[in-house]
Amino acid sequence: MIVKSILIPSVIVALLAAGPARAQQVNVEQIVAQKVQPILPENGKGGGVAAAVRMNGTTSFFNYGFANNAQNRRVTEDSIFNLGSVGKLFATTSLAEAVKQGQLSLDDPVAKYVTELQRGGDIRRVTLRQLASHTSGLPRVPQQYEHWHRGNYTWPDFVRFLNSWKADPKHEPGQQYLYSNAAMVLLRVALERRFNTRFAALMHERITVPLGMSSTALPARRDLLGRTVQGYGPGGQPIGRPGEEQGTFKWPGAGQIYSSSRDMATFLAANMFELPDHRPMENAMALAQQPVFTVNAHLKLGLAWQNVSGGNLRILDKNGGLNNTSTYIGFAPQPKLGVVILVNRGKQHATEIGRQILHALAQDQSEPASEGKANPDSD
């Protein structure tokens, strides 16, 4: 069930008088409005926020600010945002589905599928599990290893880097947590090779079509551009064109995924196992959520998912960020509470706010976890 909620003070007063059942919904509105207030532009311009809350089997939407200031177009639950690194969940969910169907193994070497890497060195020891859990040892981006390289990476550039890459005690496959966009892009390529299908089509076939997520695409489709937000920098200045891909890697399917809060609320509900008739996909999602590497007592890594413990609340979440977008998806399995935060401004504290909302909804007074809180700034 989907419910749209809009924060209107006069309505709040009336609903509070209507009884406890309605007051609980108003409390959700008040919590979200209070928590997102610090990241709303002071002058009402320079971007906005689309939030979705999953509670008691129902999704509520809350929208603030502008999708595009120049067009005077406000944010709605159907506005299309650049997901940044939240989009990594589509690769790891696809991987988990393939594992559950017996089509590959998490411990397969990536070079089994990306055969160009069989000529390499340490890259031949890297597995799909390690790529998906940020434990491959690969750097965030190749330029951190190849300091001499200038500009973006084409596919031949990337293969050269991977084959020349050498592990060391701080970059040993399977031995440490090192957040890596390079690893996740390589995972997409491995899936493409295994199924002889572009990743965008694979995602479409395995996830977005079955879940009815018609506003999710890689890259933003032409028919979605009219709803795609303008991205803004931290100070509210426009950056790039709506739907414009960013990042280090320049070949088809290596860019960012675009989606709406309505679609991501559906993806959230599926990950919370609350959608009927999607049991096989939910089984794959459960596998992706399962911790495969322990960083410390408060942070364990699944397949892109972070499993964080703050006080009395355990949260599974993923965040993302570029210079013109900040994103978050997370949920507390017990109690069943979830939230999506999409912001069309860069370097906003979407993760911190998402976790604060979950703690407030759970009426948990403990301090939210700080691990994994910073948004990745480069995809």
Side-chain angles (χ1 to χ4, degrees):
M1 180 181 179
I2 306 295
V3 176
K4 180 177 180 181
S5 297
I6 304 173
L7 187 63
I8 303 175
S10 60
V11 175
I12 291 175
V13 175
L15 290 179
L16 285 171
R22 300 299 295 275
Q24 183 183 45
Q25 177 62 33
V26 172
N27 185 51
V28 176
E29 291 192 29
Q30 291 173 326
I31 288 171
V32 174
Q34 177 189 24
K35 299 303 183 184
V36 304
Q37 185 62 42
I39 61 172
L40 293 177
E42 292 183 5
N43 59 3
K45 299 289 186 178
V49 179
V53 170
R54 184 79 180 173
M55 185 175 185
N56 298 326
T58 297
T59 300
S60 303
F61 298 101
F62 309 90
N63 303 300
Y64 312 86
F66 287 85
N68 190 309
N69 293 341
Q71 298 175 1
N72 202 35
R73 178 160 53 91
R74 300 193 69 86
V75 168
T76 75
E77 55 266 37
D78 294 308
S79 298
I80 308 294
F81 290 76
N82 185 331
L83 291 181
S85 286
V86 166
K88 289 176 170 62
L89 295 173
F90 290 92
T92 58
T93 300
S94 298
L95 171 64
E97 281 194 287
V99 170
K100 296 296 287 187
Q101 294 174 19
Q103 296 167 325
L104 46 69
S105 168
L106 286 177
D107 294 317
D108 285 342
V110 64
K112 177 179 180 179
Y113 304 106
V114 186
T115 55
E116 296 96 319
L117 304 184
Q118 293 173 7
R119 302 190 299 271
D122 287 334
I123 191 63
R124 292 181 298 170
R125 298 193 284 125
V126 172
T127 67
L128 301 180
R129 182 195 304 270
Q130 292 161 359
L131 294 178
S133 60
H134 296 295
T135 58
S136 67
L138 290 171
R140 178 186 291 267
V141 291
Q143 290 96 327
Q144 291 180 332
Y145 185 84
E146 296 185 337
H147 301 289
W148 51 266
H149 185 92
R150 296 294 178 267
N152 296 314
Y153 274 70
T154 64
W155 173 246
D157 291 331
F158 193 45
V159 170
R160 183 206 65 244
F161 153 70
L162 292 168
N163 281 337
S164 65
W165 173 74
K166 290 181 173 58
D168 60 47
K170 293 183 179 180
H171 299 81
E172 183 64 22
Q175 297 302 308
Q176 70 285 296
Y177 167 47
L178 289 172
Y179 193 91
S180 177
N181 296 320
M184 286 291 182
V185 168
L186 181 55
L187 176 61
R188 287 187 188 181
V189 177
L191 291 168
E192 289 183 336
R193 297 295 181 83
R194 169 61 182 85
F195 297 104
N196 193 30
T197 304
R198 288 288 191 187
F199 179 73
L202 197 66
M203 178 183 79
H204 185 71
E205 172 190 333
R206 288 177 172 257
I207 302 175
T208 61
V209 168
L211 291 180
M213 297 172 61
S214 59
S215 295
T216 304
L218 168 68
R221 300 189 310 265
R222 186 182 301 272
D223 63 299
L224 299 178
L225 290 180
R227 291 191 279 127
T228 302
V229 301
Q230 171 64 55
Y232 298 91
Q237 71 279 17
I239 296 180
R241 300 184 306 274
E244 183 177 8
E245 294 185 278
Q246 295 190 24
T248 297
F249 309 101
K250 295 301 178 183
W251 65 84
Q256 293 88 41
I257 295 169
Y258 285 76
S259 189
S260 64
S261 63
R262 186 189 298 279
D263 268 18
M264 291 309 295
T266 299
F267 186 73
L268 174 67
N271 272 280
M272 294 172 67
F273 316 136
E274 292 189 335
L275 295 185
D277 305 322
H278 290 287
R279 189 60 57 201
M281 185 181 298
E282 290 179 345
N283 289 338
M285 289 173 165
L287 175 62
Q289 296 166 14
Q290 183 177 334
V292 298
F293 188 86
T294 298
V295 179
N296 56 45
H298 299 288
L299 175 62
K300 298 178 181 179
L301 305 175
L303 305 183
W305 286 102
Q306 301 177 135
N307 191 316
V308 297
S309 299
N312 305 315
L313 199 64
R314 182 172 70 92
I315 294 173
L316 279 81
D317 63 13
K318 183 70 189 83
N319 53 0
L322 293 165
N323 59 3
N324 63 358
T325 189
S326 305
T327 57
Y328 176 83
I329 182 172
F331 64 97
Q334 294 296 332
K336 279 198 168 186
L337 299 166
V339 65
V340 172
I341 306 285
L342 304 178
V343 189
N344 59 332
R345 289 173 69 209
K347 300 190 177 182
Q348 303 305 298
H349 304 293
T351 309
E352 182 178 348
I353 288 167
R355 291 177 183 176
Q356 288 176 358
I357 289 173
L358 289 172
H359 273 253
L361 293 176
Q363 299 182 10
D364 188 304
Q365 302 300 316
S366 60
E367 191 72 18
S370 60
E371 281 78 9
K373 187 165 65 174
N375 284 343
D377 287 329
S378 178
D379 282 340

